[in-house]
Amino acid sequence: MQKAWEQKDHTLIKRIARNSLDEFHLTSNNLALNYGAIACGLYHRLTKVNLLEIDEQNALNKELSEITVWGQENISLFFNTIQLLSPKMIFQISAQLIENLDFAKQAGSDTFYFATTTLFEVVIALLISNNSAYAANILRQLNHFDFPQRETMLIIGRKFLNSLIDWQEPQNEQSILKIIDFLLDMGLTMQAKNFLQVYKTVRKVKN
């Protein structure tokens, strides 16, 4: 699948996805479901088409919503399938991940960072899909966590998302632009561009 993704071969990725999901339906093997779902996630990135059927989404939601020990493999599965699931499913899985975020912290800084940035992506996805209530709920829960001072991007990222939530009512963009300007001043041009793109996308949805 990696080679197909590197070559942006959406036809091969679609075939991999369907073969894996067909195997899941025959065997009820979650590994086949997960592999197929990740392939569907890659296909969606290329085509914006969701190949994951409703019953398959439900099966994936059930699996992820029951995880209590989140490792990087589980987090990666969720990260790669956010765009395939309904807002309600995304919220349910996120709540489970947040509930066990302390364990992810104990598993190591890399795992905690990956889990947190995945939840950031969830908030962004929910805002873009105009599900602000879910997004705000997840962010409120994330606000209770203390980030180590060395995790500058987690601190800035959370502040940016809080500014996005606050911006919607009333629509005051100054705090958002200040964060982007700060990133530019720090020489973090790519991150500043990413934040600006997120803001423009959310603003377009709201306007």
Side-chain angles (χ1 to χ4, degrees):
M1 184 158 55
Q2 183 176 348
K3 185 176 180 181
W5 171 247
E6 289 172 352
Q7 295 176 349
K8 302 296 185 285
D9 188 340
H10 59 85
T11 302
L12 179 55
I13 292 172
K14 182 177 183 179
R15 188 183 314 135
I16 292 170
R18 200 63 261 165
N19 288 344
S20 298
L21 293 171
D22 287 346
E23 181 185 342
F24 165 70
H25 288 293
L26 287 172
T27 64
S28 298
N29 185 337
N30 277 349
L31 289 177
L33 170 64
N34 298 348
Y35 195 73
I38 289 173
C40 287
L42 296 178
Y43 187 81
H44 184 274
R45 287 194 207 178
L46 293 175
T47 66
K48 304 304 179 187
V49 174
N50 187 357
L51 297 176
L52 203 64
E53 302 289 346
I54 295 298
D55 62 328
E56 296 158 353
Q57 293 177 34
N58 288 332
L60 184 63
N61 179 40
K62 182 176 186 298
E63 177 190 354
L64 290 174
S65 294
E66 293 176 352
I67 294 173
T68 55
V69 180
W70 285 83
Q72 293 204 27
E73 189 173 308
N74 305 128
I75 299 168
S76 179
L77 175 60
F78 183 33
F79 177 84
N80 283 290
T81 55
I82 293 170
Q83 301 297 333
L84 308 178
L85 302 171
S86 71
K88 184 178 180 180
M89 290 177 182
I90 294 170
F91 180 75
Q92 289 173 337
I93 297 166
S94 298
Q96 185 70 3
L97 177 53
I98 291 170
E99 188 176 330
N100 295 279
L101 202 55
D102 280 331
F103 178 86
K105 186 183 291 187
Q106 293 171 17
S109 58
D110 288 348
T111 302
F112 180 74
Y113 186 90
F114 189 20
T116 305
T117 52
T118 295
L119 290 166
F120 286 177
E121 290 296 326
V122 164
V123 172
I124 293 168
L126 290 170
L127 286 173
I128 290 172
S129 64
N130 210 13
N131 286 276
S132 302
Y134 279 149
N137 190 306
I138 291 169
L139 193 55
R140 277 197 301 271
Q141 295 180 67
L142 283 173
N143 285 337
H144 293 303
F145 285 86
D146 292 325
F147 294 157
Q149 288 299 317
R150 66 179 180 277
E151 297 291 4
T152 307
M153 289 315 303
L154 290 185
I155 295 169
I156 295 174
R158 183 170 62 183
K159 186 174 182 180
F160 171 73
L161 293 178
N162 276 288
S163 295
L164 267 185
I165 295 288
D166 294 341
W167 160 77
Q168 295 178 78
E169 191 62 47
Q171 294 193 357
N172 184 345
E173 65 181 11
Q174 291 308 308
S175 60
I176 296 171
L177 297 179
K178 282 181 181 178
I179 293 170
I180 293 170
D181 286 341
F182 173 76
L183 291 170
L184 289 171
D185 290 342
M186 295 288 290
L188 300 170
T189 308
M190 186 60 68
Q191 194 65 55
K193 287 181 178 178
N194 290 341
F195 279 21
L196 182 59
Q197 184 58 50
V198 168
Y199 169 53
K200 285 182 176 178
T201 304
V202 172
R203 186 175 62 183
K204 185 177 180 181
V205 171
K206 291 297 176 184
N207 293 339

